[in-house]
Amino acid sequence: LFLKARNEGIGSVRLQPLDLQVNFRSDSSVVQWVNTVFCAAFPRIDDLAHDTGLTVDTIRYYEREGLLPKAPRSEGNYRIYGPEHVERLAFVRHFRSLDMTLDEIRVLLRFKDAPQAECGEVNALLDEHIGHVAARIRELRQLEKQLKALREQCVGVRDAEHCGILNELAQASSVRGVS
């Protein structure tokens, strides 16, 4: 056993080397204690999912995509996650919430992992992403106009046969050759 936990404040624990030698021959209570301490310090994937608000499948997907470093495994073959995994998942999740692609996030992570590198490429990436967002906003505004024009085709409640919206959609699809 080489680690001890030191309380670093609310919800924060730091592991430090521990100068202690334990004979593990067959003392199951010691093994149980080690497993309890070890699992509390390094949560399994379901704990990580709970703590980050992601699903287990999403975390595994991020691992496969190289966004999350491979976690070491316990003797029982469970992945062992540490604070660096939680931090990285929070980073990825934040940028996914900004609608960044996984490729864009990979670039950002590359710079995050190389803090001495110049960030010109990060700026260019964000500028390009802002351009994509602006284009999508224009497209959505155009869609909104089309939907409002369609909504004006039916101003009251009628039977479906005389619904202006349904008739307009039927006419538009037959003009385009879609039946």
Side-chain angles (χ1 to χ4, degrees):
L1 181 64
F2 299 104
L3 301 173
K4 72 176 178 178
R6 189 175 101 194
N7 189 350
E8 292 285 320
I10 298 172
S12 180
V13 173
R14 191 169 116 201
L15 298 175
Q16 296 180 315
L18 179 64
D19 296 325
L20 175 68
Q21 293 186 5
V22 178
N23 185 347
F24 286 106
R25 281 183 280 191
S26 63
D27 189 346
S28 63
S29 63
V30 172
V31 172
Q32 183 179 11
W33 176 82
V34 168
N35 285 338
T36 301
V37 169
F38 189 71
C39 290
F42 298 96
R44 295 187 195 174
I45 195 165
D46 54 341
D47 299 319
L48 186 64
H50 181 267
D51 290 350
T52 60
L54 297 168
T55 67
V56 169
D57 289 339
T58 299
I59 294 170
R60 287 190 176 133
Y61 175 72
Y62 288 163
E63 284 179 322
R64 285 191 306 274
E65 290 296 313
L67 297 173
L68 190 63
K70 294 280 186 196
R73 296 203 176 245
S74 69
E75 286 185 26
N77 204 29
Y78 289 104
R79 291 178 180 96
I80 303 168
Y81 296 98
E84 68 280 4
H85 293 96
V86 174
E87 178 186 333
R88 194 142 178 125
L89 283 171
F91 184 90
V92 171
R93 185 172 186 204
H94 176 74
F95 281 99
R96 286 295 295 145
S97 75
L98 297 175
D99 205 34
M100 308 271 311
T101 67
L102 295 184
D103 287 337
E104 290 170 325
I105 293 171
R106 276 188 199 90
V107 171
L108 296 171
L109 286 170
R110 192 176 77 232
F111 281 94
K112 184 179 183 317
D113 293 341
Q116 303 305 318
E118 292 185 11
C119 66
E121 190 177 343
V122 173
N123 294 336
L125 185 143
L126 262 289
D127 290 341
E128 185 177 340
H129 187 69
I130 291 166
H132 291 289
V133 170
R136 285 182 45 214
I137 289 171
R138 285 189 300 274
E139 292 168 0
L140 288 170
R141 285 189 178 135
Q142 184 60 35
L143 176 61
E144 180 184 30
K145 286 179 186 177
Q146 291 173 351
L147 290 170
K148 285 181 176 180
L150 184 60
R151 176 63 181 94
E152 290 174 1
Q153 299 300 313
C154 190
V155 292
V157 177
R158 301 181 178 146
D159 56 89
E161 183 179 358
H162 297 101
C163 176
I165 296 171
L166 294 175
N167 290 332
E168 181 72 22
L169 289 173
Q171 183 180 2
S173 62
S174 66
V175 169
R176 292 189 183 121
V178 179
S179 2

